[in-house]
Amino acid sequence: MGADYALVSLRSEQPISASIDLSQVPSVAATADSSVIRVRLETDAGTTERVPLVALDTAGYQAVTAGTGADAAFPDSMVTAVVASDALVPAIVSSFLPGTDADPGENLVIEGPRQVVLRLLVREVRDQFPGFDPGEPFIIVPRVSIEDQAAPWDLRPTRRYLRAPVEAGPALATAVAEQSAGTLLVSRANLLGELSDSPLVAAVSRGYRGTVVVTTAFAVLAALAAIALTAHDRARDLGFLRTMGLSTGQVARLTITEQVPWALMAVTSGVGFAFVLIWLLQPGLDISPFTGGDTAIRISIEWGPVLAVAGGVLVALMVAVALYSYRARRLNLGNVLRLGDRG
């Protein structure tokens, strides 16, 4: 929905209560009202198609979504909109508008309730906008630009978007429940929580966490095995070097110098290969059977598990080096030299 919270009517596309006052919740940083009106769009063929028009407080919505993944990034013409009664109304339109291929700079004609006709100036064409399903048409206009021209329309807000931290949720829910029984507070955090708790997402998450654990275990095992398999020969070599004055600290530094570079190279190449593999697979990823629409896949990297695997390998390697150095200090040099003679 593009915001931390939204107030919506329990009845679809009906106005929310005008009596709701959230000023007693100090953590609300910004608000934005929007109204959805069904209008008729004049197509290139001269016919009309019904599409939803959103009269949005663009300046407020810009503040609500600024710096988030749903940042509206409106052009200046949408935020500082002209309010003259005879001016063209700036608009952001969907690339899926029926019957027309609108481009920035073109004019569109719409007819709303009570035969009120508005002329729009297309500022941007977008594939998606928060609150609309992928492929669904929409027209976004600044509320202030149509308040005079569309005075006969019912522009009472059907949604109010809020910017507030997660901790403000209980206070907001209490305030809304006390002031309007017909208004619902929708929280983005709660929606994400419900999605995460769904069987499909939960199974994928458990599988992913299990994969990270198994991967870390194999990586640690490989690091330990690399030292253990060469321990016998290295003990003999270090024994010879100790007879020539190699100190205990130099034993540890020598082992680190030999083992850490290849471990870093292995971790770096493994992570790089994983990124390349994901990039190659991205065009073929399709979750539309689960979402019901052509949802675009955007890959995000969770650096926590990546760093956990890399850190686990390095920590295991350092522990192995410490144990190996301790064992090297306890070697009987006489036995080592006799072992060398037998070799």
Side-chain angles (χ1 to χ4, degrees):
M1 61 186 181
D4 297 322
Y5 299 91
L7 302 181
V8 298
S9 174
L10 292 176
R11 295 177 297 173
S12 179
E13 294 189 6
Q14 293 297 310
I16 62 175
S17 173
S19 63
I20 296 178
D21 180 15
L22 300 178
S23 59
Q24 71 270 31
V25 184
S27 52
V28 176
T31 65
D33 288 343
S34 74
S35 305
V36 179
I37 303 101
R38 297 289 170 174
V39 299
R40 293 186 178 275
L41 170 68
E42 185 177 308
T43 67
D44 296 337
T47 59
T48 59
E49 296 282 351
R50 292 184 63 84
V51 296
L53 178 140
V54 180
L56 179 64
D57 174 9
T58 49
Y61 193 77
Q62 184 95 319
V64 167
T65 62
T68 70
D71 195 330
F74 288 133
D76 291 340
S77 57
M78 291 288 293
V79 179
T80 57
V82 178
V83 297
S85 59
D86 58 347
L88 293 174
V89 177
I92 293 176
V93 303
S94 167
S95 57
F96 300 98
L97 286 180
T100 183
D101 294 323
D103 293 316
E106 292 187 3
N107 294 344
L108 296 178
V109 178
I110 60 171
E111 180 182 339
R114 302 187 181 182
Q115 290 76 49
V116 174
V117 177
L118 296 181
R119 294 180 62 83
L120 310 180
L121 175 61
V122 178
R123 292 296 188 182
E124 282 188 7
V125 178
R126 299 187 180 183
D127 294 331
Q128 287 183 306
F129 194 83
F132 290 91
D133 293 331
E136 185 178 2
F138 57 80
I139 298 175
I140 311 296
V141 299
R143 290 176 65 86
V144 67
S145 294
I146 67 170
E147 286 177 341
D148 290 337
Q149 299 186 48
W153 294 358
D154 185 359
L155 292 179
R156 289 178 297 170
T158 54
R159 287 199 176 195
R160 178 171 298 162
Y161 299 102
L162 311 174
R163 180 165 192 157
V166 175
E167 296 77 14
L172 287 171
T174 300
V176 172
E178 291 176 350
Q179 298 180 52
S180 175
T183 301
L184 177 66
L185 176 70
V186 180
S187 167
R188 180 170 57 192
N190 289 343
L191 290 177
L192 290 175
E194 292 174 2
L195 289 174
S196 300
D197 293 338
S198 65
L200 175 64
V201 176
V204 172
S205 297
R206 287 194 298 269
Y208 175 71
R209 288 192 293 269
T211 301
V212 171
V213 172
V214 172
T215 301
T216 304
F218 273 109
V220 170
L221 179 62
L224 297 178
I227 294 180
L229 292 176
T230 60
H232 185 272
D233 293 336
R234 285 181 54 78
R236 182 189 60 193
D237 296 339
L238 290 176
F240 287 140
L241 292 174
R242 285 186 60 192
T243 63
M244 292 184 285
L246 187 71
S247 67
T248 302
Q250 288 174 324
V251 170
R253 289 194 293 272
L254 177 62
T255 307
I256 291 174
T257 303
E258 290 179 342
Q259 301 295 331
V260 170
W262 71 257
L264 290 175
M265 186 168 53
V267 170
T268 303
S269 60
V271 172
F273 175 75
F275 290 164
V276 171
L277 182 63
I278 293 174
W279 178 74
L280 292 174
L281 291 177
Q282 182 180 5
L285 296 177
D286 181 16
I287 62 172
S288 57
F290 308 107
T291 62
D294 297 328
T295 303
I297 300 297
R298 293 190 299 175
I299 294 177
S300 61
I301 301 173
E302 291 190 17
W303 288 104
V306 175
L307 296 177
V309 174
V313 173
L314 294 179
V315 168
L317 187 61
M318 298 308 294
V319 171
V321 168
L323 294 175
Y324 185 78
S325 300
Y326 174 76
R327 182 174 180 272
R329 289 198 302 268
R330 298 176 62 85
L331 286 175
N332 185 301
L333 296 183
N335 292 336
V336 170
L337 294 177
R338 287 195 295 273
L339 179 64
D341 291 338
R342 289 197 298 269

